[in-house]
Amino acid sequence: MQWLMRFRTLWGIHKSFHNIHPAPSQLRCRSLSEFGAPRWNDYEVPEEFNFASYVLDYWAQKEKEGKRGPNPAFWWVNGQGDEVKWSFREMGDLTRRVANVFTQTCGLQQGDHLALMLPRVPEWWLVAVGCMRTGIIFIPATILLKAKDILYRLQLSKAKGIVTIDALASEVDSIASQCPSLKTKLLVSDHSREGWLDFRSLVKSASPEHTCVKSKTLDPMVIFFTSGTTGFPKMAKHSHGLALQPSFPGSRKLRSLKTSDVSWCLSDSGWIVATIWTLVEPWTAGCTVFIHHLPQFDTKVIIQTLLKYPINHFWGVSSIYRMILQQDFTSIRFPALEHCYTGGEVVLPKDQEEWKRRTGLLLYENYGQSETGDPEKTAKVECGDFYNTGDRGKMDEEGYICFLGRSDDIINASGYRIGPAEVESALVEHPAVAESAVVGSPDPIRGEVVKAFIVLTPQFLSHDKDQLTKELQQHVKSVTAPYKYPRKVEFVSELPKTITGKIERKELRKKETGQM
């Protein structure tokens, strides 16, 4: 953070937490279209589109002309009192510098792949938009990944570059020799590291002049790794159309964002929700993206942040609302909060009712899939005029559809999608495990947690089961992302299987939900 404070003028940084001003009254209730921003109807898709030039630079021009309010485009805080505020003009300057770093210093070209493994730090947004300006395809990933996870993603994507932090640099270095495509390693840090380029110093010295590529709407823009029911995560490639979607009238109606709004989304930076809800959607509307670094989930910090800052749009997985409701208060009123959203996991009706009773606010559920938009994956699930989501739902007597959960083996723990094969693969590396089956187990807070049914090898049958459980849990944490570890473990003599020897996870799921 010291580098940001040193370049206060360039980076538009302020220490005061109270210098954001409300938009003039005549602007507060005006929609995006009233400012004449680029817009399309729901049935016509432009041949060319690039979010950086069509949207970000549009709002920068409006700021220059004095036609947008004084609210920042980007507002970042952490728990140490640091604060970053950037206007759209500053975002334009910085992301053009980043684009030049990628193309001139790193030699990356349009169509190349770049892995983006950063926490909620300002550089994440600079890298994402810098990639858009150059046509480089960025690949967001959670910082919870371990060396094995990183190796898999770098090899499968053939990424030519990676941007990450100190804590993950050693993990990358341990597997870099197995990634022949990887040519450039950029480090976001106050310290140098051998073999890595200093991202911050390169951005500072780069030219702010850059011409944005003319990307086709259907050109690839970003790749997400999404957990599958079999094997390891699969790549879901999205075009620039993903960033175009919020410009359509149908999408704008979802949140009806205004330039005076302040939107906070708590998604992990590696998920598609972060790209949509903390970047393309709020900035299409010209409003403020608010981010709290929040390196570890802390319910009290979330509550304090909602009380302290003028956040009026808030998104979090349903377990976040559940945890807030568990705090000791009969009612709480957040002074600025008007709209609350959730998604990524099932919302219980009792939680929605309790949230409304205690806060006076409705909790809206959003639904989407990371695979939607990937042409290959979408084609496989199109059924005439219908899209087969593979999820379970029900329709009430009024015609409203309610999401009930996934119909496959994917485990959804606090919004983290976990494929059973990922955990089983980690478990089988331990000498105590002969075979295992992993399913989701109901949990009152997280919705689901990972449960592993394990058949032990003969030499471990006599070991203390409590101690062995802890050892296996730690083992999984050490070889794959920690959020995947089994919070519940049950040792069994055998696993249910079909006549062909395939493990019947559905029988284990029934056992967990009390349906047997």
Side-chain angles (χ1 to χ4, degrees), residues 455-514:
V455 177
L456 294 173
T457 53
Q459 60 268 38
F460 281 86
L461 289 174
S462 60
H463 282 225
D464 179 83
K465 297 302 186 290
D466 290 338
Q467 183 60 38
L468 191 54
T469 295
K470 294 177 182 177
E471 184 178 327
L472 289 170
Q473 290 173 328
Q474 188 56 45
H475 166 73
V476 173
K477 289 180 181 179
S478 68
V479 299
T480 190
Y483 65 83
K484 301 176 188 176
Y485 88 93
R487 292 178 180 271
K488 297 180 181 179
V489 173
E490 182 176 335
F491 297 102
V492 295
S493 58
E494 61 181 2
L495 297 171
K497 297 179 180 177
T498 66
I499 192 171
T500 60
K502 182 179 179 181
I503 295 174
E504 291 192 293
R505 291 195 187 92
K506 65 179 181 180
E507 296 301 318
L508 297 174
R509 287 202 304 271
K510 287 180 180 179
K511 178 181 178 181
E512 284 304 293
T513 56

Side-chain angles (χ1 to χ4, degrees), residues 443-463:
D443 183 85
I445 300 299
R446 297 177 175 83
E448 282 186 307
V449 295
V450 175
K451 178 168 182 177
F453 292 86
I454 295 174
V455 177
L456 294 173
T457 53
Q459 60 268 38
F460 281 86
L461 289 174
S462 60
H463 282 225

Side-chain angles (χ1 to χ4, degrees), residues 166-291:
D166 285 318
L168 288 172
S170 59
E171 302 272 5
V172 174
D173 284 339
S174 71
I175 51 88
S177 62
Q178 302 175 60
C179 304
S181 298
L182 187 63
K183 305 299 181 184
T184 299
K185 297 183 295 183
L186 289 156
L187 188 66
V188 176
S189 172
D190 289 327
H191 311 286
S192 60
R193 183 180 179 90
E194 185 177 355
W196 290 75
L197 298 175
D198 185 338
F199 179 81
R200 290 169 173 170
S201 64
L202 288 174
V203 173
K204 178 178 178 288
S205 60
S207 168
E209 302 298 325
H210 179 270
T211 301
C212 186
V213 298
K214 291 186 176 181
S215 55
K216 302 290 185 182
T217 302
L218 296 182
D219 285 346
M221 182 187 80
V222 58
I223 293 174
F224 301 99
F225 275 82
T226 178
S227 295
T229 55
T230 59
F232 288 90
K234 308 296 191 297
M235 293 195 300
K237 185 179 293 185
H238 287 260
S239 70
H240 286 270
L242 178 71
L244 170 66
Q245 185 178 351
S247 296
F248 294 134
S251 296
R252 290 202 300 270
K253 289 178 182 177
L254 177 64
R255 295 177 70 190
S256 300
L257 290 166
K258 308 182 295 294
T259 56
S260 56
D261 288 333
V262 179
S263 177
W264 184 25
C265 171
L266 275 177
S267 170
D268 185 294
S269 56
W271 307 144
I272 189 172
V273 174
T275 298
I276 295 174
W277 284 65
T278 75
L279 201 162
V280 299
E281 191 169 78
W283 280 346
T284 295
C287 77
T288 298
V289 169
F290 180 91
I291 300 294

Side-chain angles (χ1 to χ4, degrees), residues 274-393:
T275 298
I276 295 174
W277 284 65
T278 75
L279 201 162
V280 299
E281 191 169 78
W283 280 346
T284 295
C287 77
T288 298
V289 169
F290 180 91
I291 300 294
H292 194 299
H293 183 214
L294 207 66
Q296 292 184 324
F297 180 82
D298 189 321
T299 308
K300 292 182 178 179
V301 171
I302 294 172
I303 293 173
Q304 291 167 358
T305 303
L306 289 170
L307 289 170
K308 183 175 184 179
Y309 297 96
I311 298 160
N312 62 340
H313 286 257
F314 177 66
W315 188 98
V317 293
S318 60
S319 56
I320 289 176
Y321 292 95
R322 251 177 252 133
M323 292 179 185
I324 293 176
L325 289 172
Q326 286 189 343
Q327 301 302 302
D328 187 21
F329 61 84
T330 55
S331 67
I332 187 170
R333 293 295 186 266
F334 301 106
L337 193 57
E338 299 173 356
H339 307 284
C340 301
Y341 311 91
T342 188
E345 57 186 6
V346 177
V347 183
L348 302 177
K350 68 180 182 66
D351 292 334
Q352 289 179 305
E353 293 168 5
E354 189 67 7
W355 184 260
K356 175 67 165 62
R357 187 182 70 81
R358 294 210 213 172
T359 67
L361 299 167
L362 293 173
L363 178 54
Y364 295 97
E365 183 177 11
N366 303 130
Y367 175 84
Q369 291 187 322
S370 301
E371 301 91 338
T372 309
D374 183 298
E376 182 180 346
K377 291 179 171 59
T378 300
K380 291 180 180 178
V381 294
E382 286 181 337
C383 305
D385 292 334
F386 292 89
Y387 173 88
N388 185 357
T389 67
D391 292 332
R392 296 180 295 114

